[in-house]
Amino acid sequence: PFRPCGRKAVVSTQSTGEVEVINGIKDKLKQKVNEAFQQVCALQDAYNAMCDDLADKMHCLDVDQQCHSLTNQSANIGFHQNSSRIAKDIVMPDAWDSHSNYNTQRANSEIRASTALREVINNTIEQTANDLEAQRLRTEYAFRKRIHEVQMAKDELEWQQSNTKREIDVLMDDIRGLKQAITDKNKPLEVAETRSENRTYRPRVELCRDVPHDGLINEKNELQKTVSSLVDKHNTAEDALNQLKQTLNRIEEDIAV
């Protein structure tokens, strides 16, 4: 019986391929999640640095504004010992400017990196979605082919099943006919043998090999040949019937799979 095993292998291959594509997509997306998390951390660091720098500058602006508002008539002015001292952690204007520029440039750099990463992530999502859809279509096509071929195979097996059953019925009728024919030859054979046996009791010279004697022998031989031929045909038919039954069993097992 026909079995579309090759198509079954194709379906299995495509299903395995679909799993592999999904696992590959998961790995890619996990990688992008890690990259996005790292970029968020970098943005957060840059943001915190900007916030700290801005807070310091706001505080400095408050101090300078207060200093600017002082006059000779201000109530909170007075002498301070060593007020012109240089603090040990004082920075030069170039360093101050470089620090501010660094924070700004760092923030802008991380923003650009985030924008680029978002574009990469969007492209990755779109590409993986396309890959998954393409694999899904290949798998569904393989399944449709498999279903079609299995249905064709099932139809073929059911047709063979019907024909085999029909042949079995015909052959069983033939076997019954042969059995009846063999049975029908028993009585004529008994008659011929009984006649031959009875004629052996003819007295003396009457026990002659005459025409009836030879005719009975020929009749008996012909009947025995006929019976032997019928038995041979019956045995051949029985063998054929067993083969057909085995074939039918295999067909029905295939249909049940």
Side-chain angles (χ1 to χ4, degrees):
F2 173 69
R3 291 173 180 264
C5 296
R7 181 57 56 187
K8 181 177 181 180
V10 172
V11 171
S12 178
T13 299
Q14 293 299 337
S15 297
T16 301
E18 189 170 14
V19 173
E20 292 174 351
V21 168
I22 291 173
N23 288 334
I25 289 173
K26 289 168 63 177
D27 291 339
K28 288 181 180 179
L29 294 179
K30 285 179 180 178
Q31 179 183 354
K32 294 307 174 186
V33 167
N34 291 333
E35 292 177 8
F37 178 76
Q38 294 173 2
Q39 185 58 43
V40 168
C41 291
L43 277 171
Q44 188 64 50
D45 289 342
Y47 175 77
N48 291 339
M50 288 288 291
C51 288
D52 291 341
D53 194 22
L54 182 61
D56 291 344
K57 284 180 169 50
M58 293 296 294
H59 182 71
C60 178
L61 183 60
D62 288 341
V63 171
D64 286 345
Q65 285 177 343
Q66 290 176 8
C67 291
H68 180 264
S69 65
L70 292 176
T71 64
N72 293 338
Q73 287 76 33
S74 297
N76 56 343
I77 61 175
F79 294 103
H80 297 271
Q81 186 178 4
N82 196 21
S83 61
S84 59
R85 67 188 182 280
I86 298 176
K88 62 180 181 180
D89 53 353
I90 195 170
V91 298
M92 300 305 292
D94 289 343
W96 176 88
D97 189 57
S98 296
H99 176 74
S100 298
N101 288 335
Y102 170 76
N103 285 333
T104 302
Q105 291 172 0
R106 179 187 177 189
N108 289 333
S109 177
E110 296 302 340
I111 290 173
R112 288 193 297 271
S114 297
T115 301
L117 181 59
R118 283 201 306 275
E119 183 176 356
V120 171
I121 290 174
N122 289 335
N123 290 338
T124 300
I125 292 174
E126 182 177 357
Q127 183 60 50
T128 52
N130 291 338
D131 293 342
L132 184 59
E133 177 65 12
Q135 183 59 46
R136 183 188 68 81
L137 292 175
R138 287 192 294 268
T139 302
E140 289 188 355
Y141 176 75
F143 268 111
R144 287 195 300 272
K145 290 279 289 182
R146 172 65 176 166
I147 291 170
H148 174 69
E149 292 187 359
V150 169
Q151 185 61 51
M152 289 180 61
K154 182 175 179 292
D155 293 343
E156 173 67 18
L157 288 171
E158 289 176 346
W159 179 82
Q160 291 181 4
Q161 180 189 42
S162 176
N163 280 354
T164 304
K165 286 181 177 180
R166 195 158 45 244
E167 290 179 16
I168 288 175
D169 291 339
V170 171
L171 196 54
M172 290 180 68
D173 288 340
D174 290 345
I175 290 173
R176 284 192 291 269
L178 288 169
K179 286 182 177 179
Q180 185 62 46
I182 293 171
T183 300
D184 292 343
K185 293 294 183 291
N186 287 335
K187 290 300 180 180
L189 185 59
E190 289 176 358
V191 171
E193 290 186 352
T194 301
R195 285 173 176 173
S196 294
E197 178 65 21
N198 290 343
R199 296 192 87 239
T200 61
Y201 298 108
R202 288 174 296 168
R204 291 180 289 276
V205 72
E206 298 301 325
L207 187 61
C208 175
R209 185 175 178 179
D210 52 11
V211 173
H213 178 274
D214 291 340
L216 287 171
I217 292 175
N218 290 334
E219 183 181 5
K220 175 183 175 182
N221 290 337
E222 288 299 324
L223 285 171
Q224 287 177 336
K225 287 180 182 179
T226 301
V227 170
S228 177
S229 176
L230 290 173
V231 169
D232 289 341
K233 290 180 179 179
H234 174 269
N235 292 337
T236 300
E238 285 285 356
D239 291 340
L241 178 62
N242 290 332
Q243 292 179 359
L244 283 174
K245 288 181 177 179
Q246 292 175 0
T247 300
L248 180 61
N249 288 336
R250 288 195 296 269
I251 292 173
E252 290 177 343
E253 287 175 359
D254 287 340
I255 291 175
V257 172

